[in-house]
């Protein structure tokens, strides 16, 4: 089964290669679609109840969805901003640094938990339903420095 999936992906990759270079309008639309889907999926994992279509309306038209709290709207808008910052930072030969990570974190938490935005956590956390135990908060700073150096 995995082999069939890989073959299908390879076929689609070859089809896409034949269409290159893609028109700028197509690239722009693909980028927007990916941002919407990435935002929807990431926020859904965290418990956000906006549907894919609602996420699209919030991001593309700035519409607030009846029955959804403002926090969920902020999560969508913030995630979109963070995606575009990550894209801006992901350029050849750029060395990511801790301030970049803080900037991304600040965007994600803007108008949600501003007091925690752009800094490392100062307490232990758990991930409900997971067997993984996040590192002790005392170690986070040094682990992040290690990651950035890597």
């Amino acid at each position: 089964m995995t082999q069939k999936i890989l073959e299908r992906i390879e076929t689609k990759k070859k089809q896409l290669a034949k269409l290159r270079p893609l028109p700028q309008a197509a690239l722009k639309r693909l980028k927007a679609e990916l941002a919407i889907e990435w935002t929807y999926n990431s926020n859904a994992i965290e418990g956000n109840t906006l549907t894919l279509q609602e996420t699209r309306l919030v991001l593309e038209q700035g519409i607030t969805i009846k029955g959804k709290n403002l926090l969920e709207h902020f999560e969508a808008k913030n995630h979109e901003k963070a995606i575009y910052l990550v894209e801006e930072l992901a350029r050849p030969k750029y060395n990511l640094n801790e301030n970049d990570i803080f900037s991304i974190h600040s965007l994600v938490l803007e108008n949600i938990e501003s007091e925690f935005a752009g800094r490392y956590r100062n307490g232990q956390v758990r991930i409900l339903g997971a067997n993984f135990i996040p590192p002790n908060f005392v170690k986070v700073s040094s682990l992040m420095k290690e990651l950035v150096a890597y």
Side-chain angles (χ1 to χ4, degrees):
M1 177 149 171
T2 303
Q3 187 59 36
K4 268 185 149 178
I5 293 170
L6 291 173
E7 288 170 6
R8 187 168 170 237
I9 291 170
E10 190 60 35
T11 300
K12 289 187 179 287
K13 185 178 169 191
K14 286 177 184 175
Q15 290 171 340
L16 181 61
K18 288 178 187 176
L19 299 172
R20 293 185 188 276
L22 297 174
Q24 284 300 313
L27 287 173
K28 186 176 178 182
R29 189 67 205 153
L30 277 171
K31 182 177 157 184
E33 285 299 315
L34 287 171
I36 291 166
E37 289 189 28
W38 185 9
T39 296
Y40 164 72
N41 288 307
S42 295
N43 287 340
I45 289 168
E46 295 294 324
N48 188 305
T49 64
L50 291 173
T51 66
L52 178 59
Q53 187 57 33
E54 289 169 340
T55 301
R56 179 181 309 286
L57 290 170
V58 169
L59 298 182
E60 289 183 341
Q61 298 179 25
I63 293 174
T64 54
I65 309 300
K66 183 178 179 178
K68 304 293 180 170
N69 68 46
L70 200 50
L71 180 73
E72 292 181 298
H73 293 79
F74 284 138
E75 287 172 346
K77 292 301 287 181
N78 292 356
H79 192 274
E80 179 187 46
K81 288 181 204 173
I83 287 172
Y84 291 124
L85 176 56
V86 169
E87 183 180 90
E88 187 181 308
L89 295 172
R91 55 187 182 269
K93 298 183 182 180
Y94 181 78
N95 290 317
L96 189 73
N97 61 62
E98 272 187 288
N99 286 333
D100 296 328
I101 294 169
F102 288 140
S103 294
I104 295 163
H105 190 251
S106 288
L107 284 176
V108 170
L109 291 181
E110 187 177 312
N111 297 314
I112 296 171
E113 289 185 326
S114 298
E115 66 275 14
F116 298 113
R119 63 183 184 87
Y120 294 130
R121 59 184 163 87
N122 58 2
Q124 196 56 34
V125 295
R126 284 183 12 173
I127 302 173
L128 293 176
N131 292 330
F132 174 75
I133 299 171
N136 186 296
F137 71 94
V138 174
K139 296 180 180 179
V140 171
S141 179
S142 63
L143 289 170
M144 291 303 292
K145 284 178 184 12
E146 222 177 280
L147 175 67
V148 168
Y150 173 75

